[in-house]
Amino acid sequence: QQQVKQSPQSLIVQKGGISIINCAYENTAFDYFPWYQQFPGKGPALLIAIRPDVSEKKEGRFTISFNKSAKQFSLHIMDSQPGDSATYFCAASINAGNMLTFGGGTRLMVKP
Amino acid sequence: ETGVTQSPTHLIKTRGQQVTLRCSSQSGHNTVSWYQQALGQGPQFIFQYYREEENGRGNFPPRFSGLQFPNYSSELNVNALELDDSALYLCASSLEGMGSEQYFGPGTRLTVT
């Protein structure tokens, strides 16, 4: 499987701050890049996704930035809240419905 | 709209036994993918079923097998369980063979002793 590398492994942010999680991929055939949020004991929930024809996508407090030439993409969580404390996974696939290759995850803790 | 459901929630098996996990896809979704998530790691793709046919497989041995039924529900079967099979097994459904987002169920926690 082609790798997707995610950093940092863990992140602590103060309430109201910006959380930034980065991912890098190898396979240039990937054309779909989703982010999932997972709470303990639950399945991953789709947060936001981007395709390589745009460099940025924003949905509420969540923004994906995409750099095709660098093969990197990142998730920004603005105005981070304690309820955002969870594990976040980036992923990539060739077409949205196909096999997802996941990063290793980032455990985010937002301190009140 | 009903989301993805999985059963059982958790179970404990002994090494060498066989297990069957079940998944009901989201209403209208005809594609089901199975993932294994070891503790502290990202999910790893096992295989996908589209219209009752296997439509892609990850790096898992043949003792991992699956089925999809006409109502698009699916089963994951694991034979000759090993200790390393202990994990959260996730099912994800999507609409059509490709091109739509995958939505995950809550998972089945399998413990092999």
Side-chain angles (χ1 to χ4, degrees):
Chain A
Q1 286 186 353
Q2 297 293 325
Q3 278 191 317
V4 175
K5 296 181 180 179
Q6 183 171 346
S7 63
Q9 287 186 313
S10 63
L11 181 62
I12 300 174
V13 174
Q14 290 295 128
K15 178 183 176 181
I18 302 173
S19 303
I20 301 174
I21 305 171
N22 301 298
C23 283
Y25 63 97
E26 299 174 355
N27 187 351
T28 55
F30 286 148
D31 63 357
Y32 173 72
F33 303 89
W35 285 88
Y36 285 85
Q37 178 190 56
Q38 186 175 30
F39 292 104
K42 305 291 185 184
L46 180 64
L47 262 182
I48 185 172
I50 197 168
R51 297 176 195 270
D53 52 342
V54 296
S55 60
E56 187 174 282
K57 182 175 181 180
K58 182 176 180 179
E59 289 185 1
R61 296 185 295 111
F62 300 94
T63 299
I64 299 180
S65 297
F66 184 81
N67 186 329
K68 188 174 181 179
S69 61
K71 294 188 286 184
Q72 295 175 349
F73 58 110
S74 60
L75 176 70
H76 292 62
I77 305 174
M78 312 299 288
D79 187 27
S80 298
Q81 299 297 312
D84 296 331
S85 297
T87 300
Y88 292 81
F89 292 96
C90 63
S93 70
I94 303 170
N95 290 313
N98 281 350
M99 175 187 84
L100 288 167
T101 299
F102 282 84
T106 296
R107 183 175 291 184
L108 171 66
M109 180 185 298
V110 181
K111 289 193 169 181
Chain B
E1 185 176 270
T2 306
V4 180
T5 60
Q6 293 186 242
S7 63
T9 303
H10 53 266
L11 73 166
I12 301 172
K13 290 286 188 177
T14 302
R15 188 172 55 180
Q17 286 186 317
Q18 177 267 341
V19 68
T20 297
L21 311 181
R22 295 177 175 83
C23 170
S24 291
S25 60
Q26 186 166 314
S27 178
H29 285 186
N30 58 10
T31 302
V32 173
S33 302
W34 286 92
Y35 293 80
Q36 180 196 66
Q37 185 177 24
L39 197 62
Q41 297 183 21
Q44 287 203 325
F45 176 76
I46 303 175
F47 45 56
Q48 182 181 84
Y49 278 83
Y50 171 55
R51 294 187 175 179
E52 303 177 56
E53 299 276 339
E54 188 177 289
N55 184 44
R57 188 177 184 93
N59 189 26
F60 280 82
R63 60 189 184 84
F64 286 78
S65 62
L67 283 173
Q68 188 181 31
F69 300 99
N71 67 354
Y72 305 130
S73 66
S74 177
E75 287 183 354
L76 164 65
N77 298 289
V78 187
N79 294 321
L81 283 167
E82 301 177 359
L83 297 179
D84 284 349
D85 295 335
S86 296
L88 181 68
Y89 287 85
L90 296 162
C91 165
S93 75
S94 55
L95 179 61
E96 300 174 9
M98 59 181 65
S100 85
E101 293 86 357
Q102 295 182 42
Y103 294 92
F104 284 83
T108 293
R109 171 71 63 188
L110 172 65
T111 301
V112 182
T113 61

